[in-house]
Amino acid sequence: EMKNVSLDTSKGIQIPGTKAVVSCSIKENEVYICIHVRIKYGVNVSQMTKEIQEKIDILQKEVSTVIKGKDEVIRKVIMAILASGHVLLEDVPGLGKTTLAKAFSKALGFANKRIQFTPDTMPSDIVGMSIYNEQTNAFEYVEGAAVNCNLLLGDEINRTSSKTQSALLEAMAEGCVTVDGVTHQLLEPFVVMATQNPVTSGGTQALPDSQLDRFMICLSMGYPDAESQLAILKNVSDRDLIEKVQ
């Protein structure tokens, strides 16, 4: 008799080349990885699990070619993405926070957009806005940075105003944005990887609790060890390395 196991693709990430969806949960500092797959009679589940693990290992290997000496940080970001969570990277400038997000976007094949937060960034830059079209005599919706992308890189999120930061709340929690009473669904999966400078840096302000609550994990990159620093100096530019990620 053939039976199907229910598959909820909204709870995880579809693994390319397989029929499986992988999700992850973090509870009491323990990581639980769940594999959801439609199982029919005669399917080798152990083989499929092995293939998924191999793809996760390949993902980590590809990202580590760009980010040197930060395997633990890479693993934690993978866990958050598999759990459909958002990631906040906090550290001083120049440690590879933005490069990490770009490397993940390239390795996963995600449609990505980037927004550089500044004091004059407006909420409409994130969610979009309605603009009057004289030719059609109607208002037309113009997409913001959060629309039509799988991975949104928010650079230096704590440099902008609280009003602009709040524009991300609905997108991060519900996977949609509302403009002029019309709700626009975002792509699935939708992941926000935001970077912020320490609050002691000039021109920054602490994120409100409601904003921090939307992030699954907050990571600090930290300086690489001496061996990794030498490897970074010997390599080509970050742009060339990211282009080689597959």
Side-chain angles (χ1 to χ4, degrees):
E1 182 180 1
M2 300 176 65
K3 296 182 179 180
N4 289 334
V5 177
S6 61
L7 178 65
D8 188 354
T9 57
S10 65
K11 300 297 184 180
I13 304 297
Q14 179 76 43
I15 302 299
T18 72
K19 297 181 179 179
V21 173
V22 176
S23 64
C24 175
S25 61
I26 301 175
K27 184 178 181 181
E28 297 179 356
N29 296 325
E30 295 290 337
V31 179
Y32 302 89
I33 296 179
C34 302
I35 301 173
H36 310 270
V37 59
R38 292 191 184 277
I39 300 176
K40 293 186 178 181
Y41 182 76
V43 173
N44 191 333
V45 178
S46 61
Q47 178 63 28
M48 185 170 291
T49 303
K50 181 180 179 181
E51 293 175 358
I52 294 172
Q53 183 60 54
E54 289 175 352
K55 290 183 179 292
I56 294 175
D57 292 340
I58 293 173
L59 172 60
Q60 180 173 342
K61 181 179 179 181
E62 288 294 321
V63 176
S64 63
T65 60
V66 180
I67 305 298
K68 305 292 185 180
K70 295 297 174 185
D71 291 342
E72 182 178 355
V73 173
I74 294 173
R75 285 196 297 268
K76 289 180 179 179
V77 173
I78 292 176
M79 295 174 194
I81 292 176
L82 291 178
S84 300
H86 306 288
V87 182
L88 179 63
L89 301 171
E90 179 181 13
D91 223 321
V92 296
L95 294 183
K97 301 186 297 295
T98 303
T99 304
L100 176 67
K102 289 182 177 180
F104 266 103
S105 176
K106 182 70 182 299
L108 290 168
F110 280 180
N112 70 92
K113 292 183 182 179
R114 174 181 176 179
I115 180 169
Q116 178 68 49
F117 286 101
T118 58
D120 60 349
T121 302
M122 300 297 293
S124 57
D125 296 328
I126 300 174
V127 301
M129 58 183 172
S130 297
I131 297 180
Y132 181 72
N133 189 327
E134 294 183 354
Q135 296 179 349
T136 61
N137 196 29
F139 284 92
E140 296 181 355
Y141 173 67
V142 179
E143 297 176 353
V147 183
N148 277 338
C149 72
N150 298 115
L151 191 149
L152 175 64
L153 170 58
D155 223 353
E156 297 183 309
I157 189 174
N158 61 339
R159 287 189 59 204
T160 192
S161 65
S162 300
K163 180 180 180 180
T164 303
Q165 291 171 2
S166 65
L168 278 172
L169 295 180
E170 182 183 15
M172 295 173 69
E174 303 177 25
C176 61
V177 295
T178 302
V179 179
D180 294 335
V182 179
T183 299
H184 305 271
Q185 292 295 325
L186 305 181
L187 297 183
E188 293 184 3
F190 176 72
V191 178
V192 174
M193 291 186 66
T195 70
Q196 70 170 358
N197 297 327
V199 292
T200 54
S201 303
T204 61
Q205 56 182 332
L207 294 178
D209 291 341
S210 58
Q211 183 80 55
L212 290 173
D213 183 62
R214 265 62 177 185
F215 291 99
M216 177 172 286
I217 56 175
C218 178
L219 300 175
S220 176
M221 294 286 290
Y223 286 96
D225 55 33
E227 183 179 353
S228 299
Q229 290 183 39
L230 289 175
I232 293 172
L233 292 173
K234 292 178 181 179
N235 282 323
V236 293
S237 66
D238 289 345
R239 180 180 299 177
D240 295 333
L241 288 174
I242 293 176
E243 289 299 324
K244 295 179 180 179
V245 173
Q246 298 180 352

